[in-house]
Amino acid sequence: MSPAREDNMTASDGLHEPMDPRGYQLEMVAESMVKNIIVAVGPLYLVVKQNLTHGRWIPEAARHIYLGRALLRIKAELDRCGPEKLVWFLCPTVVLAQQQYEYFGQNLRCVQIRILTGNDGVDRWGEKQIWDNVLKDIKLVVSTYQVLLDALVHGFVGMRRLALLIHDECHNCTKESSANRIMQEFYHPNHRLVGAVPHILGLSASPIMNTKLGGLEKIEQNMHALSRTPKLHREELLRYVHLPEIKILKYPEFVHALEKPPLLRGLLRIYSDMDIRSDPYVVKLCAAGHGDDSEQLRKAFMSRKTYCQDQMKGLCNMAINVYEELGVWAVELYIYICLNNFQSRRVPSIINFEGLDEDERAYLLRVLAPLFECKVDDQRSPEDSELSPKVHLLLDYLHAEVGPGFAGLVFVQTRASVRLVAQLISTHTLTKDRLVVGTFVGTSNHAKKKSSIGEVHNVLDQGETLDDLRYGRKNLIIATSVLEEGIDVSATNTVICFEKPANLKSFIQRRGRARSAKSKYIIMLDEDCQKNILHTWRQLEDDMKQLYMDDMRRLEEIRQQEDEEGDKVFKVESTGAQMNLKDAVRHLEHWCNVLPKTQYADLRPVYSLESHADKKHVRARVLLPKSVDKSVRETVGGSWWKSEKFAKRDAAFEAYIALYHAGLVNDHLLPLLISDEAVLQEYADVEKRPGLVKVREMLSPWPEVAAAWQAGATPFQSTIKFSIGQSVVLMRMISPFALPSLSRLTLYPDIDSIVQVDFDPIAGVEYSGDIKVSDAITSLLLFSIYRSRMVSDRRGYPILFEPFIDVTELEKWLAEVTGTRPATTLVAKSPACMQNGLVRDLSMDGVSYIFSGVEYQPVEIDGVKADGNAEPDMGLAPVLAVSKLSKRSDFLHRMGESEGLKKTRMPQYLAPDTCTVDNLPYTNSQYAMYIPCIMHHLESALTTEHLCDNLLSPVHFNNHHLVTTAITASSAREAYNYQSLEFMGDSCLKLYATINFMAMHLNWHEGFLTLKKGYMVSNGRLALAAQQTGLEQYIITNAFTGSKWKPLYNEDLLQAQPIKMRELSTKILADVVEALLGAAFVDGGYPKVQTCLSIFLPEVSWQSLNNCREVLLKVAIPNEASLFPHHFSHLEVLLNYQFNTKSLLLEALTHPSHLGPDDTPSYERLEFLGDALLDIIITTRVFQHRSSLKPFRMHLLRTAMVNANFLAFVGMRHFISVARTSLPPQNPRASSSALECNMELSIWHFMRHGHSADLVKAQASCQARFVELEHAISEALTNGDSHPWRLLTTLAPVKFFSDIIESIIAAIYIDSAGSLAACETFLTVLGIIPYVDRALHSAIAMMHPKEELGIVAGNEKVKYEVVILEDGEEEQDGRPGYKCKVSVGEQEAAVVFGARTRIEAETRAAEEAVKFLKQHMGELATRAENQDLEQEKIRCEDHVSDEDDEGEENFFDAVDIADGMEVEDDGTCAGHIDEGIGEETGHDVRMDGCISL
């Protein structure tokens, strides 16, 4: 990363607390856009603080307020100013300039910012070229007043170049100050010329101007601006500005016991008895040859300044201080802790005892040895007699005051007191059950500082203290003065000074921490001290009261105005629901509260106020969150009111009515969908869908065929071609109507042979033969194989079969092949085997055999058996060599090796005189064996034809085989099933539902849209659609076995059949609907998908993708170049796309927390669409390779590519280098080329957001992790053999990093006339498409480690145990954080340490556990193979499934979990295993993208 890039990302730890602007801030910003103003903040805002830089009082919170306004104003100006313009922020001092620069750097990451002060040597820049280079592409400059004045004086910078000039501390703009000179000499002379001078914004947080009468008017004149203070928003000030109540707690003098506690006495005695001559330092001096007259020795003896002496002295002094302040219990505990830490070499803080000289340590251990035997119970609650009166007073006060919502801060003087007071409160009976205590001390240290025995506080314990207070996990913090200023501490309602503040500055700073409503500021003073400084505190209180006096009187007047009366009522006649002014604010806040929660965004409505011309009345305006449609986002009250309370009620009232008329509030005056009982019930019904439902049995097409024969339909013929290698056999198939096109059928007669069956319907050609003859031939063919399942003289088949010979020869052929003849004829003629018919053994009830030939075997003559060497005419008899006809009738599925071995039979021999042979050649019988398979194949095709001609007729499918595939479940064990098409259809449905609902409901926010879409694409709704349309009767689920197959007869088919039901998984029903959508997409693209949707989901008026896109484009804010920030042109280069409608790009980068004068909506709706677009792009690309991919891997690929962590990473990795100049060297004549450098900007740098400190912190933290992990993740994506799930989990980006990627995809799609190619180009630029292609063409393992572990574990239960590492616990890799142990069954499989998050810990543990289990299973397999290799081989062969012969599969592919597996965008997989059994397993789906099996 370049230094320039880091420069813009510098964060100041707690230096500023960015705060979201309230209504009064927006009001000021709006006014400053049209006129020059001075934002002056009155004393009501604040907590006063001493600013050492200025040497006077300024309000701290007020500074944060006006910095927020300045930031809003800067953003607004950068959005509208031209590329040649810049904003200049002026500060009176270098320190303030540095602070403001860091603040703006946190919140304006994509803008080039420069700080210029005297420290940069600007006085040496004597050429304009240097200034031009320094300011090249800079949009915001922060400098002192003098820097800009000098640049203007020398003509290096002109006023025309400035778009906005901001004066911080503008009350300094008087007399001969640099600020006033800038205005008087360079602004005022040209302010009447258009474009010659910038807009002016003055900032002043000081309530006291220190000017004479008329001074304010003079400053306004100098600044050419009007002073504006928040005279309105008084109710809001009452809500957000709180003045703490000051209370003095007096405690009596602590009368100590005559005798000090034993440990303290022992410590003091040891210190007093220490012999300086035994000190290691003195011993070393003596050993080095220093005599008694040595200067160093004399100095050591006189001052007793050695390390050991200092340690003991410091320990004793602190112990005495603890004893006097806290009492006996505290000092005993303090000494015990210090000794225990030192003896055990524990590290209680950032100071390391290991830095001690070993001699010094040994010496101190020796002198302190008598105290080591003393034991103190460090967990016991102290007795009352062991505590000082001061401590008792603190405990009593806390006991009385602590209640719900309590948040307190106690300031103590020493670090030791922090630890002891915290432990005291945590263990004392009065407080231990009511307070959760944290601690905070300073952490500064330097390398030369040695360890201190008296240190008892562990700073590692305070890492989460402030967050714990902020989020309510702790309610009391004990701290030193380090928390007085400079560190972000959330508002507290009680601040206690355990010791009196050191000075007025400390008093004011501590008071500023008590800024919650009804807060209290407690100062503990002893009675004597109270008397001595009583006058001082009273004078201070008088000063503070005088400071607030005017505003408090004004607030009292406001309170009196709140009694104003007035009311309005809005009533919905259809339901009787009504709302009045009193309810309006509550209703509106509730409506905002049910909006989708977004991190770092404040969803509360924001009110602004305007004054009437009479200065007595106000009217309110309410602004709703960015996620609300702009048509209803802002509403003005309908009336003018005396009080702000009623003005705001009126605005809320009008806003809620506007929401109602916009359809966002239902007739019960409740938020749409979220509170709609009918909708909730409908959704609940869907969510409660059963796993199995009873549906109609599969539709049989044969009754319709039989009816056609009965009606005398004209028969049609089709050709069946059997191909075995190079041999081809033809048959003719006859039906009462033209058959649909049939796909190729592959048959497997035995383990080595494959028969390809092709169907060639002769279009439009009627059959001219005799149907009765064809019927008889069909009967003959079937009877030759299935005679045990038939009645010999029964006729009338739905489909007829005959050899492919001239129809005029069929009757003759039939006569020739009908009947049987004696098998003895075979001996006489010995014809070719295949021309002979089946041999039937009459002695065995006509069992069928395949004739192989005639052989001769010896026979007994007169009881004497021949020796076998005789000639044929010497006693040898002929026998028929035959093989038994296989009973196998399922030729659709390949035989396994074990089955093939079992089917291999030794030749058998039959006596010719006990057998007959069919006249029908075996060739014909052989192909008759395939008729059940052909009938099954034809049945599927006819079912599909029926479906396409009826339910799906509007779609006009061209390729009916796609439909057959779509309605075939994997349980049918066909060569095809719906899984791949369902994969495609799922994305098509998601895209159509997403964009249609967006176009239909232009004012719906993302939350409503997500809920609506979720219902429409849910399995429950789709399963219901399958039932409502009758689709369920077309779904093929049963596998063909042929074991009970028997011929169908038209007579039977014409009989009325009872309605049969079957149980079917609702998941299968839903999947088939999605598969049909996928089939429609493949057959005819999105138009056919739309038609298909209209069939199954008719309640939606589905529009084309382009129509929807055009609707969305029309509502986008019109393109105005003046409103498009110039620096966003860099973003267009980064995206490799130039927007026609620039507002779409602004919307795509606007976080919901963003507030400003523009009405650009947040990116949430675009992100909602972008998610579906990304899904369809990835799905389509993967689907194109479906022939080489298993469906489950297709799901895994898509899951990995749309995963939020992955999207965030590729977005962060992709950056653009923007030219930036560094400050020139001290040599003013350095060439301009020496000033060039680059600033790297990623997409997330351009995100427009609010001023949340947490958001800024999240960006910085994630960027730091990205820098650490970028190389490893990139290497894995480029060359790795597995997807880097673990590394991406460690990156743990906040959701908005991936949200903006998806929103940009949607923006490009809408802007590019619906070009998915343009979106795909953007994804290619990010590196997503290249990675998809790599994954498609290589064996990259894509499964999430936790999911893989669930599969590897089989039936064993996987258990994760995650704990946070405790202080002092041994860590395997030296990093603090989470520890995770994963067990599989009863066995511990892996343990990992040092993870940053729980999810990372579980992912790493799962990865290690998978490795362990694979290795363990490999060792077991090797051991078994060595023991009995041959036996193991036979056992494995006996258990091979039919599918295993299709090719060698890896371990995980052998687990068939692909069928119906749902894979969500966040990496979550859900579904069921072995869907063929029609049951769902109900996997436990985790939010981190894993499935527990």
Side-chain angles (χ1 to χ4, degrees), residues 11-22:
S12 177
D13 295 337
L15 184 64
H16 294 297
E17 178 184 2
M19 58 185 298
D20 284 336
R22 303 293 179 184

Side-chain angles (χ1 to χ4, degrees), residues 32-69:
S32 71
M33 295 292 289
V34 296
K35 65 176 70 171
N36 296 342
I37 67 169
I38 299 171
V39 179
V41 182
L44 179 62
Y45 282 90
L46 228 280
V47 176
V48 178
K49 154 184 181 180
Q50 185 179 27
N51 187 309
L52 297 179
T53 306
H54 297 276
R56 56 184 178 73
W57 317 109
I58 68 169
E60 178 185 24
R63 173 171 293 279
H64 292 168
I65 291 172
Y66 76 54
L67 277 178
R69 292 180 185 160

Side-chain angles (χ1 to χ4, degrees), residues 1266-1286:
F1266 170 79
V1267 172
E1268 177 184 348
L1269 298 169
E1270 177 184 10
H1271 176 74
I1273 297 177
S1274 294
E1275 178 64 22
L1277 296 177
T1278 304
N1279 302 309
D1281 56 4
S1282 63
H1283 188 68
W1285 286 109
R1286 177 180 60 81

